[in-house]
Amino acid sequence: MPGSGSETLLPRRRRRRQSNWRGLAYIAPAMALVIVFFVMPVLFTGWMSLHNWPLMGASRWIGFNNYYRMVNDTRFMTALSFTAYYTVIVTIAIFAVAFPLAIFVEKERQFVSTYRTIIFLPVVVGLATASLLWVWLANVDSGFIGPALKALGLVEKSPNLLATFDTAFLTVVVMVVWKIAGFTMIILLTGLQAIPSELTEAARIDGAGRWQRFRHLTLPLMRKTIALALIVSVTGSILAFDQFYIMTAGGPQNKMISVVYYIFNQSFVSFNLGYGAALSIVLLAILMAISIVQLWLLRVGEERP
């Protein structure tokens, strides 16, 4: 009959509209949390960055002067370069430890669940707690690392590991790898377990060695997993604060002040809240840019349907 098609179409559209509204209702609580706890604080921080905002007293509009100030702030540039150096070193170290561990615990063997649990245990320890633990371990008098090195004959006397930049930096990196490698291992393990065993078996039958299977099969199929682990590692390294604040207090000679540590000093030690807000906005922009570049690089060469 004429018009029956349009009459049938109307209920479909109505049901689709109701389904869309129902979907929005389901995600509304999550959207509200994101808006209240992320979007609004970011907008307010951006507003603060355009003011001379003291801890006490009225704020004063200064436009982009806080951003101009960064260009000539040598201490900020030093903190930025140190953070970049630390990020590169600790990310490489984490992956160098986590990837072999993931390959080791991926295969079914005796006590593999115990191995996974032991490797993952440091992850459940808070970063501040882990930092305090390693401060004690590195203590020249009552710690464990110095006497252990002396007992092994590697040094003549117990060294103060946090007294010089090289040993303090190495101690911090080792602590972070000990703390984080288990988490990265779990992420990589999920990627390894998602690879169909038929593909690996077929490559082995075709004569591909371990390195060939890893390079031409495992790595390409783990692009997204590696991207996730890399973004988490890089973001966490750029936002590093606890380990430097607790273990070294920015020393020795203020050589281990990260960007977040510098923002903390400007905001809550010097009480330059407006400048600290501007630094935070710049750091957010850097993190977003790095994440976008990482995702783009890891997508290069991906087969498109």
Side-chain angles (χ1 to χ4, degrees), residues 86 127 131 172 175-176 236-237 239-249:
Y86 166 79
L127 187 56
S131 300
V172 171
M175 185 279 294
V176 172
S237 301
L239 296 176
F241 170 73
D242 300 57
Q243 56 266 48
F244 299 117
Y245 181 74
I246 294 173
M247 295 182 66
T248 67

Side-chain angles (χ1 to χ4, degrees), residues 76-95:
F76 171 65
M77 295 302 171
T78 301
L80 196 61
S81 62
F82 169 74
T83 303
Y85 173 71
Y86 166 79
T87 299
V88 171
I89 297 299
V90 82
T91 300
I92 293 174
I94 289 173
F95 270 79

